């Protein structure tokens, strides 16, 4: 079942040149839909970056087997040794 969302009217102030470019690209009629999608994407990007930054430094572990000496690890892998 889909949820119908209420629409809210906003008053926005945009640079005149920005509006001219918007009209050139999408026309004056679908401005609202274009701006709505742009805001939705910008908010989604911000949420994703918040998640990424909240995770920085939270991974605690022993690291990777190759961290100390990557060349030795590669040689061992080539010769069938693990470690």
């Amino acid at each position: 079942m889909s949820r119908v969302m209420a629409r809210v009217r906003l008053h926005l102030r945009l640079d005149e040149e920005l509006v001219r470019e918007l009209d050139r690209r999408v026309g004056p009629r679908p401005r609202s839909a274009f701006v709505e999608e742009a805001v939705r994407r910008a908010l989604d990007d911000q949420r994703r970056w918040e998640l990424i930054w909240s995770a920085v430094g939270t991974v605690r572990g022993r690291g990777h087997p190759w961290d100390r000496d990557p060349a030795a690890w590669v040689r061992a892998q080539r010769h069938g040794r693990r470690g």
Side-chain angles (χ1 to χ4, degrees):
M1 176 188 312
S2 69
R3 193 173 94 183
V4 176
M5 302 190 69
R7 295 277 189 214
V8 176
R9 184 175 295 271
L10 296 177
H11 176 80
L12 299 174
R13 292 174 44 160
L14 299 173
D15 179 73
E16 193 174 324
E17 180 56 35
L18 185 62
V19 174
R20 277 197 295 271
E21 183 174 352
L22 176 63
D23 286 348
R24 276 193 304 270
R25 291 184 181 275
V26 301
R29 284 277 179 210
R31 277 184 191 161
S32 291
F34 185 89
V35 171
E36 181 178 9
E37 181 60 25
V39 170
R40 190 180 314 280
R41 288 180 182 192
L43 290 172
D44 188 49
D45 286 349
Q46 281 192 347
R47 275 192 294 275
R48 289 173 191 249
W49 277 112
E50 286 170 2
L51 287 172
I52 289 168
W53 282 112
S54 71
V56 170
T58 61
V59 176
R60 308 241 190 274
R62 297 178 314 157
H64 305 100
W66 55 83
D67 284 346
R68 203 165 27 139
D69 187 352
W73 183 84
V74 169
R75 281 191 301 276
Q77 296 300 307
R78 288 182 179 156
H79 290 90
R81 297 188 304 268
R82 302 285 177 223

